[in-house]
Structure formats: C-alpha cells, structure tokens
Amino acid sequence: MEIVMAKSLLNANTQIAEGNRSLFDGAGVYVVNLLGSPGAGKTTLLEAMLPGIKERLRPAVIEGDLNTSRDADRIAGIGVPSVQINTGGGCHLDANMVMATLPSIELGEIELLFIENVGNLVCTASFALGEHLRVVVLSVTEGDDKVEKYLSMFRKADAVVLNKADLLPYIDFDVERVRSDLERLGSQAPIFRLSARTGEGLDLFVEWLLGRRAKDHPERARNRSK
Ligand code: MG
Ligand code: ZN
C-alpha cells in the first residue's frame, strides 16, 4: 500500500515537473538542478561561477533550504537574482515548490536558472523539478565511496563536480574509484575536478555547462547572445 502511494506521489511530481519544463522551454530558460550533500560546496560553486557567467548570460538562482535564507543572501550579494524556497524542514525540493516560486522570477528576463537543492544525496534524486541538467557536487572530503553508496543520485547525474580538489594532497581520496564506479553504473557523466574556493578547474566546468546549454537550446542560445 505504501509503495503504491509513494509511486503516485512521484507520478504527480513528474507531471508538475513536465509543466515547469514547458514553461522554461517556452521562455528559453535553461535549468540546472544542483545537488549534493550539506557542505559539498554548492553555494560556493555558484558564488565562484556566477560573476563570470553573468558577463555572458542572464542567470538567476532558486535556493532550496530547510529554514534559512543564508544561501539566497549570498547569491543576491553578487548581484544575481535569487529566490529562496524554505522547505520548513523538508529534506528535498519537489516540482510543486519550484512551480510556486515561478511567479517571483521573470523568466522572460533570464536565460539560465540554477536550482540549488536541499543538501541531501538520497531523496533529492527522486524528484524531478523540470530541469534540463543535473549536476552533483561531491566534495573530496566526503570520501570516494559515495557513488557506490548513492547509486540513484549518481546514475541520474549529467555531470559530477569533484569539489575541494585543492585538498586532494592531504586526504585519501581516489578519483579513479569515482570514475570506475560511475562507469559501472553505465554513466556517461563527465567528472570535473575543481576547487570553488581557489577557482582551479572552474573554467572547464563553466565552458562545459554553457556548451550543453547551447547544444540543448541551440536557437535560443543564438538569438539571445545577439
Ligand atoms: Mg548551500
Ligand atoms: Zn526528502
């Protein structure tokens, strides 16, 4: 019985996510769902990338958080529109929460929307939000066994950011293990070793991300960049 209920909940979520996705597509907004554990560096990654990105495109951010608006305040501090979703203790974002924030975002005025999910490697994987791309941030301090442990999260990832790579010399973290665990899942996701703190490796990831947008939204990317 419970399984059936969980399934219909997810089906309802999928339908709302598809509605969000059509709105995003209609407005030419490319949407990235940013996932990862608490402390993986999702907000720090956004803070590091957005100053460069906003020279080229108009971005915005939806910040998912349990209770605070700290992360949205950090994003607003760099001059990028940000909207906060407080889940009131809820451990993931769902498509309905994203839909509810859309009236506060001028979709016609932006081209790229990041949705920073609640820090969690488990149930966040199950809820589509209407995104085009899923990026999982895994910091090297979390350990190299995470792909093997959180299969669902990593199976659905379009890219894996290995953050805090500047700490690799000081800890035991086997990058090859992450690579081979992803391969075993049948994942084609590229791995980006970077440090959002020092900026090392960041450019490669940003170029890949903007390249994916141009590839998935070719007309929009062309029209808007004029
Ligand atoms: Mg954050
Ligand atoms: Zn949850």
Side-chain angles (χ1 to χ4, degrees):
M1 203 58 171
E2 270 177 35
I3 293 171
V4 173
M5 283 178 65
K7 216 170 191 171
S8 71
L9 180 75
L10 282 176
N11 286 343
N13 185 76
T14 303
Q15 280 188 2
I16 300 169
E18 281 165 9
N20 291 346
R21 174 73 177 254
S22 332
L23 285 175
F24 295 141
D25 283 338
V29 177
Y30 196 65
V31 181
V32 181
N33 187 357
L34 199 57
L35 303 129
S37 303
K42 300 181 292 301
T43 314
T44 306
L45 178 65
L46 287 171
E47 283 177 307
M49 291 192 297
L50 285 169
I53 288 177
K54 76 177 179 142
E55 300 294 313
R56 300 159 68 176
L57 288 172
R58 290 169 296 176
V61 178
I62 294 176
E63 281 290 345
D65 195 49
L66 301 172
N67 298 299
T68 77
S69 65
R70 276 169 193 252
D71 290 355
D73 295 343
R74 284 166 64 183
I75 299 303
I78 51 176
V80 169
S82 66
V83 181
Q84 183 71 52
I85 299 177
N86 279 140
T87 60
C91 48
H92 59 266
L93 292 182
D94 64 31
N96 199 39
M97 297 175 196
V98 170
M99 187 180 73
T101 65
L102 294 184
S104 5
I105 300 172
E106 296 275 359
L107 286 182
E109 299 296 318
I110 63 168
E111 292 149 308
L112 181 61
L113 175 65
F114 290 98
I115 305 177
E116 182 183 331
N117 218 309
V118 177
N120 178 343
L121 285 176
V122 188
C123 50
T124 48
S126 305
F127 290 83
L129 306 177
E131 72 272 22
H132 299 90
L133 210 60
R134 284 188 178 204
V135 174
V136 179
V137 182
L138 172 65
S139 59
V140 300
T141 50
E142 292 168 62
D144 54 17
D145 58 352
K146 293 299 170 289
V147 176
E148 209 184 349
K149 287 189 174 176
Y150 299 94
L151 298 175
S152 176
M153 172 61 67
F154 286 95
R155 191 178 287 122
K156 293 176 183 167
D158 296 301
V160 175
V161 167
L162 277 187
N163 191 26
K164 310 187 188 178
D166 51 320
L167 300 179
L168 278 171
Y170 311 105
I171 52 176
D172 291 323
F173 184 98
D174 183 358
V175 176
E176 282 315 307
R177 178 172 180 190
V178 170
R179 204 180 302 280
S180 61
D181 285 349
L182 278 172
E183 266 168 28
R184 209 168 312 123
L185 281 178
S187 168
Q188 310 276 325
I191 300 172
F192 294 94
R193 275 166 73 154
L194 61 82
S195 167
R197 192 179 67 87
T198 67
E200 158 200 354
L202 191 65
D203 287 352
L204 265 181
F205 174 61
V206 171
E207 290 313 313
W208 176 84
L209 193 70
L210 299 187
R212 274 298 294 256
R213 174 182 171 273
K215 200 170 133 226
D216 295 351
H217 268 192
E219 282 165 40
R220 286 292 179 168
R222 228 180 3 252
N223 293 341
R224 291 293 187 96
S225 64
K226 276 176 189 165

